Amino acid sequence: MLEIKNLKKNFGKKKVLKGINLTIEKGELVGIIGPSGCGKSTFLRSINYLEKPSFGHILLDGIEIRDNDKLRLMRRRIGMVFQQFNLFSNMNVLDNIIFAPVTLNIMSKESAIKKAREMLKKINLLDKEKFYPNELSGGQKQRVAIIRTLLMEPEIILFDEPTSALDPEMIGEVTNLMREIAKTKMTMIIVSHEMHFIKNFCTRVLFMDDGKIIEDGSSKEIFNHPKDERLKTFLSKIKNI
Amino acid sequence: MKKRIILLISLLCFLITGCNEEKEKLVLATEASFAPFEYYQENNIVGVDIDIAREIAKELGMELEIKDVYFDSIINEVKTGKSDIGAAGISYTEERSREVNFTINYMDAKQVLVIRKNSNIKKIDDLFKKKIAVQLGTVADDYLTSNYPNIEIIREKKFLAAIEDLIDYKVDGVLMDEIPAKELLNDNLMILDEPLVVDHYGMVISKNNQELLDVCNKVITRLKEEGKIDEMLLSHMGITTKKDNKSLYDKFYDSIIYDSRYIFILEGLRNTLIIAIGAVILGVIIGTTMAIIRNVHDTKGKFKILNYLARTYITVIRGTPSILQLMIIYYVIFKTSNVSIILVGILSFGINSGAYVAEIVRGGINSVSEGQKEAGFALGLSYLQVMKHIVIPNALRNILPALGNEFITLVKETSVGAYIGIVELTKASDIIASRTYDYFFPLMIIALIYLCITLVLTKIFAKIEKRLNHVRN
């Protein structure tokens, strides 16, 4: 269970997050939508402390995530997938995937390689294990990045606009992989502009605007019966496109 | 990789200590391009001064070690105790005697004017408004400077360069000591009959070493009484072979093969390579450390004092010429310790290079995308793990061209090592030219060697770059 209590973030004088309270249960598939600059990415990045919150508390199963010596252990439990994939460009596909679990002594090199190959096989990239990131397409990179996170066996995975940097024909291969992961009862929190995907995939959707959560409900409630005027405007704009 | 570095370092240590065995030695500083007083013959330095110094060493029961440095470094060598005696046809002057002690004079030398035979200078009075070349820091230099304000003085590092100027019509005359002047006369050059000034040669010894001065004076007095010094002079006169119309092959033969002169080039090459490799390793270690200190400070706010020191180091080193750093390290910091000049070279060039490498590496670290670091942190990796396995390897790839540039510059920079007596490539060509009176082949050959080193380095860097960029064949 992930609890967020009165989370605030300021960049200088600018208030980006203005007090967020939220509880996410295990296995929930949470989508976060909202206009650009509403703070949704900052919020997501605050959860594993890539952004240091100015105020408030984040607790994972009752343990607070803070900038202390436990932070690295907490981060292992929270995976993250980035918009720009962020594969390590000096390592090939296989090394990208096994580097962290082997370096952190979570598993032996042999079992890490075995597991990585099993996963690569599932997504049909086994023949690319010796390739370097610059030799892969965007969709391939993002799927490798997701597997890199999965091998750490996290309890939650944060997706920060995972399909925004992809060509349209590659979005499907990434979202399909995400659907596969959802079957394992993984807790997933997704910031995305891919409304269709959020609507069909997520069990719960948050609408953020101006650093606050404005509406919090099931996918049906948010997309079919929006209450707040701002949410209505936001959805109507998207439909117009 | 670690093993290889250790191997390389131990090899370097071996090479350095290999050239520096510990024995009771009398160290003589000279500039061996002043026949008949000191010059190279069959790769040994010989001459009148050397003969006298040997007598002194014999008297002391010590072994003579000869150090070939620039003339204007000799006083400093003796003053700082790097050498025991300085002898290079050094004329007594008030100013010099304030810095070091002079022995009694062992030879009187006239300063004469060397001119071209077709010159319109017939007597001293014709010198007005003419261009005269001298060797920097010599009596001739002092004398002209203080007595002939209307003469344009060209100060050359070596008097051979002054003679070249004369032959090439760049100057109208060269003022120098009579005896060596006679050694280099040829069909086109002559000595103006009237001597300008007479001076006295003495050897120089540190003011702190009265004992050695006494021994030297005793030996010189004895040699003078026995008429040995004139004998020595005679035996060294007319040794230099001069032919004016040598064929190109003869010139090449004289420069490289005759007297095994290529040995100088090989020794120079060896020293240049040892210093360059040692300095590169040291520079990379220092530079990377500085860059990481600065990066930790900039990103995490730690290491305030270390960061300040690193910035000061970079500013000071980049703000001063490397030749000054070399001389300060040798003559000031290592003033009293008996450290190998090769080691001083490695240290000095390594420290110099470190400042440039630091900025190159810092730029490289900054060039690695924030995203890759964040991905590392998000996986639970520590700052050090992210630095070591992700940031540094990627930075290395980005900075490789700049780093290659720095290494190539460094190889050529080692040529100033001659200032503290290191026989590196450039000095090797100087030594050969001082025997053949011809700069062409020695200069061309070492230029070619530098070029080859650079080409090899460029090839190596291109290979590494290709590998780091994961280019598939």
Side-chain angles (χ1 to χ4, degrees):
Chain A
M1 190 176 71
L2 183 71
E3 291 166 275
I4 289 134
K5 292 178 181 169
N6 198 21
L7 183 70
K8 290 179 183 172
K9 174 70 183 176
N10 306 330
F11 287 123
K13 277 188 184 163
K14 194 175 185 302
K15 291 177 180 170
V16 185
L17 300 178
K18 297 177 177 173
I20 291 183
N21 288 289
L22 183 69
T23 302
I24 295 172
E25 298 294 338
K26 190 167 167 38
E28 276 194 291
L29 304 173
V30 182
I32 304 176
I33 59 172
S36 300
C38 71
K40 50 191 194 304
S41 270
T42 307
F43 169 51
L44 197 74
R45 291 162 53 83
S46 299
I47 295 175
N48 68 351
Y49 249 71
L50 284 183
E51 297 292 352
K52 192 176 174 182
S54 310
F55 195 79
H57 305 277
I58 305 161
L59 293 97
L60 180 59
D61 293 338
I63 305 169
E64 183 160 8
I65 300 174
R66 300 194 59 123
D67 194 2
N68 56 18
D69 25 315
K70 285 211 190 81
L71 176 62
R72 288 169 54 206
L73 287 174
M74 299 306 286
R75 276 176 172 166
R76 288 192 202 177
R77 300 170 62 185
I78 307 171
M80 181 139 192
V81 173
F82 299 85
Q83 181 179 359
Q84 296 297 335
F85 332 124
N86 295 347
L87 291 180
F88 306 134
S89 52
N90 58 316
M91 299 181 198
N92 65 27
V93 166
L94 194 63
D95 288 336
N96 256 286
I97 298 170
I98 67 165
F99 177 70
V102 172
T103 307
L104 297 170
N105 289 321
I106 296 171
M107 52 182 85
S108 73
K109 194 170 180 183
E110 292 72 34
S111 61
I113 290 176
K114 195 167 160 248
K115 270 194 145 175
R117 287 198 171 131
E118 273 169 28
M119 291 185 183
L120 282 172
K121 198 172 174 191
K122 270 189 203 159
I123 56 167
N124 289 325
L125 286 178
L126 194 52
D127 56 327
K128 298 271 197 292
E129 67 168 47
K130 292 285 176 221
F131 279 49
Y132 283 85
N134 61 356
E135 298 170 301
L136 301 178
S137 72
Q140 290 170 336
K141 279 187 218 176
Q142 193 59 297
R143 284 183 291 148
V144 170
I146 292 172
I147 285 178
R148 175 173 71 178
T149 296
L150 276 182
L151 211 69
M152 295 290 292
E153 296 174 347
E155 295 155 41
I156 302 173
I157 302 180
L158 313 173
F159 291 86
D160 189 5
E161 307 201 18
T163 56
S164 299
L166 296 177
D167 290 338
E169 75 270 19
M170 290 175 182
I171 292 175
E173 57 192 56
V174 172
T175 51
N176 283 343
L177 178 58
M178 289 170 73
R179 286 198 170 89
E180 287 298 316
I181 297 167
K183 285 180 192 165
T184 65
K185 303 289 175 211
M186 176 74 72
T187 311
M188 295 162 82
I189 308 175
I190 303 145
V191 166
S192 180
H193 291 290
E194 205 62 43
M195 289 307 147
H196 192 69
F197 174 65
I198 295 280
K199 186 178 172 182
N200 293 325
F201 180 75
C202 294
T203 52
R204 180 179 172 188
V205 177
L206 312 175
F207 172 67
M208 277 182 72
D209 193 17
D210 196 25
K212 281 177 288 202
I213 295 174
I214 307 295
E215 250 185 87
D216 176 355
S218 73
S219 173
K220 239 182 215 162
E221 284 167 346
I222 296 288
F223 284 99
N224 299 341
H225 310 289
K227 293 186 200 89
D228 191 276
E229 278 308 310
R230 281 176 284 183
L231 175 55
K232 285 177 190 169
T233 322
F234 176 72
L235 289 175
S236 69
K237 272 185 192 161
I238 285 170
K239 273 172 194 157
N240 289 343
I241 298 164
Chain B
M1 189 65 194
K2 260 184 197 160
K3 265 188 188 162
R4 258 188 263 172
I5 291 174
I6 289 168
L7 202 73
L8 204 66
I9 290 171
S10 39
L11 185 74
L12 275 173
C13 291
F14 172 75
L15 285 167
I16 295 159
T17 49
C19 11
N20 230 38
E21 306 145 41
E22 290 297 321
K23 263 186 206 167
E24 269 269 85
K25 273 179 178 167
L26 183 71
V27 183
L28 172 81
T30 187
E31 189 192 359
S33 56
F34 199 60
F37 292 96
E38 39 271 318
Y39 58 97
Y40 277 91
Q41 191 176 44
E42 281 160 17
N43 304 325
N44 295 314
I45 300 173
V46 296
V48 177
D49 286 340
I50 313 300
D51 291 344
I52 297 174
R54 272 194 208 293
E55 291 289 332
I56 293 167
K58 210 163 99 190
E59 181 79 21
L60 291 162
M62 290 163 99
E63 198 185 323
L64 184 70
E65 181 186 312
I66 303 166
K67 222 167 133 186
D68 186 11
V69 297
Y70 285 126
F71 186 78
D72 51 347
S73 298
I74 293 174
I75 302 265
N76 224 337
E77 279 279 329
V78 171
K79 232 176 92 179
T80 55
K82 294 281 168 200
S83 299
D84 302 310
I85 304 184
I90 305 171
S91 305
Y92 176 90
T93 65
E94 273 293 315
E95 212 171 5
R96 284 174 182 162
S97 71
R98 277 199 288 273
E99 304 295 321
V100 286
N101 279 335
F102 269 86
T103 62
I104 53 168
N105 79 302
Y106 58 91
M107 180 114 357
D108 292 334
K110 292 176 205 156
Q111 295 290 316
V112 293
L113 193 69
V114 180
I115 49 175
R116 292 182 299 271
K117 282 191 179 156
N118 59 5
S119 170
N120 51 10
I121 301 176
K122 301 293 177 216
K123 52 188 189 303
I124 301 281
D125 297 342
D126 296 338
L127 285 181
F128 187 72
K129 295 250 166 167
K130 290 283 193 298
K131 270 190 188 175
I132 303 296
V134 294
Q135 184 176 10
L136 175 72
T138 55
V139 167
D141 184 3
D142 289 351
Y143 178 75
L144 282 189
T145 309
S146 41
N147 295 316
Y148 289 83
N150 286 320
I151 288 176
E152 189 182 338
I153 305 171
I154 310 294
R155 294 180 180 85
E156 293 286 2
K157 197 90 196 148
K158 324 200 99 211
F159 78 79
L160 283 175
I163 294 290
E164 292 270 316
D165 289 346
L166 181 64
I167 293 168
D168 298 341
Y169 285 77
K170 285 179 192 154
V171 297
D172 302 301
V174 175
L175 188 66
M176 60 181 292
D177 295 48
E178 184 185 26
I179 296 165
K182 280 182 178 163
E183 286 291 293
L184 44 80
L185 289 186
N186 60 22
D187 296 346
N188 301 319
L189 298 181
M190 59 177 276
I191 290 174
L192 193 70
D193 277 338
E194 256 175 290
L196 266 106
V197 61
V198 176
D199 56 38
H200 312 288
Y201 288 172
M203 294 190 172
V204 294
I205 288 151
S206 163
K207 292 243 184 223
N208 305 323
N209 203 343
Q210 185 64 39
E211 231 173 289
L212 182 61
L213 182 69
D214 292 342
V215 176
C216 290
N217 282 337
K218 197 177 109 193
V219 173
I220 291 170
T221 312
R222 192 194 74 212
L223 291 173
K224 272 167 104 176
E225 279 167 4
E226 295 171 354
K228 284 264 174 68
I229 292 180
D230 291 335
E231 277 174 35
M232 290 168 179
L233 188 59
L234 273 176
S235 75
H236 289 288
M237 292 287 275
I239 299 289
T240 353
T241 48
K242 287 186 305 289
K243 270 195 283 167
D244 287 326
N245 301 316
K246 279 193 274 192
S247 73
L248 215 56
Y249 174 76
D250 282 343
K251 281 184 174 178
F252 176 77
Y253 182 85
D254 281 356
S255 298
I256 308 304
I257 298 159
Y258 181 73
D259 241 11
S260 309
R261 283 180 181 143
Y262 58 87
I263 301 235
F264 289 118
I265 294 178
L266 290 182
E267 193 196 339
L269 178 63
R270 188 191 71 162
N271 286 340
T272 293
L273 287 180
I274 290 174
I275 293 171
I277 292 169
V280 160
I281 293 171
L282 186 65
V284 167
I285 293 170
I286 295 176
T288 312
T289 314
M290 296 292 151
I292 289 174
I293 289 171
R294 294 208 56 192
N295 183 262
V296 172
H297 174 265
D298 290 349
T299 53
K300 295 189 129 187
K302 291 181 190 166
F303 296 162
K304 274 221 170 77
I305 294 168
L306 277 177
N307 179 61
Y308 177 77
L309 289 176
R311 280 181 59 178
T312 311
Y313 158 79
I314 292 167
T315 310
V316 169
I317 296 293
R318 292 202 307 177
T320 50
S322 65
I323 177 168
L324 276 186
Q325 293 159 15
L326 181 72
M327 290 171 86
I328 288 170
I329 287 179
Y330 187 58
Y331 289 119
V332 180
I333 296 172
F334 285 116
K335 186 179 170 184
T336 48
S337 63
N338 185 22
V339 64
S340 138
I341 45 177
I342 303 282
L343 199 64
V344 172
I346 291 176
L347 212 61
S348 171
F349 294 119
I351 289 172
N352 179 273
S353 183
Y356 293 90
V357 172
E359 288 300 275
I360 294 173
V361 173
R362 197 170 69 93
I365 291 173
N366 291 343
S367 77
V368 177
S369 73
E370 206 55 39
Q372 290 192 50
K373 287 185 235 175
E374 282 187 348
F377 293 138
L379 286 164
L381 296 168
S382 69
Y383 175 81
L384 270 180
Q385 287 165 335
V386 168
M387 268 326 241
K388 187 175 164 199
H389 299 286
I390 298 157
V391 176
I392 299 280
N394 278 306
L396 190 66
R397 192 179 59 187
N398 295 343
I399 63 178
L400 218 54
L403 217 49
N405 215 4
E406 169 59 23
F407 291 172
I408 287 169
T409 311
L410 183 63
V411 169
K412 292 177 290 180
E413 192 97 312
T414 55
S415 60
V416 303
Y419 273 85
I420 60 165
I422 301 170
V423 179
E424 40 61 61
L425 273 176
T426 309
K427 177 75 182 176
S429 76
D430 259 356
I431 291 172
I432 294 173
S434 78
R435 298 304 304 129
T436 60
Y437 298 98
D438 179 21
Y439 271 103
F440 180 78
F441 272 109
L443 286 181
M444 282 301 148
I445 282 162
I446 64 148
L448 268 179
I449 294 174
Y450 279 121
L451 196 63
C452 285
I453 298 174
T454 306
L455 280 177
V456 169
L457 272 179
T458 312
K459 271 254 149 56
I460 292 173
F461 268 92
K463 267 232 163 89
I464 303 175
E465 213 175 316
K466 218 172 161 183
R467 234 174 87 178
L468 288 184
N469 280 326
H470 320 301
V471 176
R472 283 166 204 286
N473 295 323

